[in-house]
Amino acid sequence: MQKYFDLYLEHLSHATEGEKKFIKEHLTVRTYNKGDYFLKFGEVQSDMGYVCEGLIRRFYINEKGNKIITGFTKELEYVTDYPSFIRQIPSKYYFQCLEHTTIVHLPYSTIIESYKKFKNSEMQGRLIAEKVLTILNDRVESFLFNTAEERYLKFINENPDLIQRVSLTHLSSFLGIERQSLSRIRKKISRK
């Protein structure tokens, strides 16, 4: 467990040793099997998650009963429905492990207490919020301004490590296209 705590604490680049000590006292580590859920629709996320090992898909179920993937979370990234987490309201998403996954948990109450005690904690929280907001904004803009092929190329350029870890079905859902369309795009690109 110590290695996971250290991995998480290394990520807190603006934290003092005192802040890290305070946070470490409240950290827990949990392992999930493939198929397990970190968070389900209707649940309130009580802990911020930091993925040390593994891969998670974020999805919702539409009115037709289809699972629509809106993101993937891999190693060294926060797994969260951030707007829901900050407001402590039920999530509209499911977060399911696609692989055996190890997550460091930090309770919401500890984060709020840390904000009150340590100025640097507020900055760390702001940096996390900015990163999450940027990811969400980039996704929305990709649907507004990019073709399916451009979205695919962007995904493989930004996530070369995920291309072998994510199924074509999951990737096509994330890209907002049918699996057959993704196959055509991949075939077209391979001919270039």
Side-chain angles (χ1 to χ4, degrees):
M1 277 213 277
Q2 185 62 43
K3 74 175 183 173
Y4 299 121
F5 290 163
D6 292 343
L7 190 62
Y8 177 78
L9 293 171
E10 283 174 24
H11 189 70
L12 303 179
S13 55
H14 298 284
T16 65
E17 288 307 311
E19 290 167 310
K20 288 181 181 181
K21 183 176 186 253
F22 171 79
I23 289 169
K24 186 177 179 179
E25 292 171 359
H26 297 89
L27 295 176
T28 57
V29 175
R30 184 166 170 208
T31 58
Y32 298 80
N33 293 316
K34 180 179 178 178
D36 287 350
Y37 288 88
F38 169 76
L39 183 68
K40 291 181 181 177
F41 173 88
E43 295 178 348
V44 176
Q45 184 180 354
S46 58
D47 295 346
M48 176 64 73
Y50 184 76
V51 178
C52 295
E53 297 173 347
L55 180 62
I56 297 173
R57 69 174 172 152
R58 170 184 161 145
F59 69 92
Y60 69 94
I61 299 175
N62 70 10
E63 66 283 348
K64 295 179 183 176
N66 298 319
K67 294 176 182 176
I68 309 299
I69 296 176
T70 61
F72 299 99
T73 306
K74 60 185 177 184
E75 295 85 1
L76 309 182
E77 294 179 345
Y78 289 96
V79 56
T80 181
D81 177 357
Y82 199 74
S84 173
F85 178 72
I86 290 301
R87 294 180 286 184
Q88 287 293 278
I89 60 173
S91 178
K92 295 177 181 171
Y93 297 94
Y94 295 86
F95 292 80
Q96 185 180 35
C97 299
L98 296 176
E99 302 172 350
H100 180 81
T101 302
T102 303
I103 299 175
V104 171
H105 290 250
L106 181 62
Y108 174 82
S109 58
T110 300
I111 293 171
I112 298 305
E113 187 178 348
S114 172
Y115 287 168
K116 292 175 184 173
K117 285 185 169 188
F118 306 108
K119 185 75 173 156
N120 288 336
S121 290
E122 288 181 339
M123 184 180 355
Q124 191 70 38
R126 189 194 84 226
L127 293 173
I128 293 167
E130 288 173 357
K131 182 169 178 113
V132 170
L133 177 62
T134 300
I135 290 168
L136 295 174
N137 188 66
D138 287 350
R139 176 161 171 75
V140 169
E141 286 187 352
S142 75
F143 281 99
L144 294 174
F145 303 115
N146 301 119
T147 66
E149 183 176 331
E150 289 169 334
R151 288 195 302 275
Y152 172 71
L153 289 170
K154 185 175 193 268
F155 181 85
I156 61 173
N157 286 331
E158 292 178 357
N159 303 284
D161 57 324
L162 290 187
I163 205 66
Q164 299 300 321
R165 296 168 66 187
V166 173
S167 74
L168 290 181
T169 300
H170 289 159
L171 182 55
S172 62
S173 174
F174 174 74
L175 296 172
I177 58 177
E178 295 295 323
R179 185 174 167 165
Q180 300 87 332
S181 299
L182 178 57
S183 294
R184 281 193 295 275
I185 290 169
R186 288 166 50 98
K187 187 181 261 187
K188 177 183 170 190
I189 290 169
S190 70
R191 285 192 221 129
K192 290 182 180 180

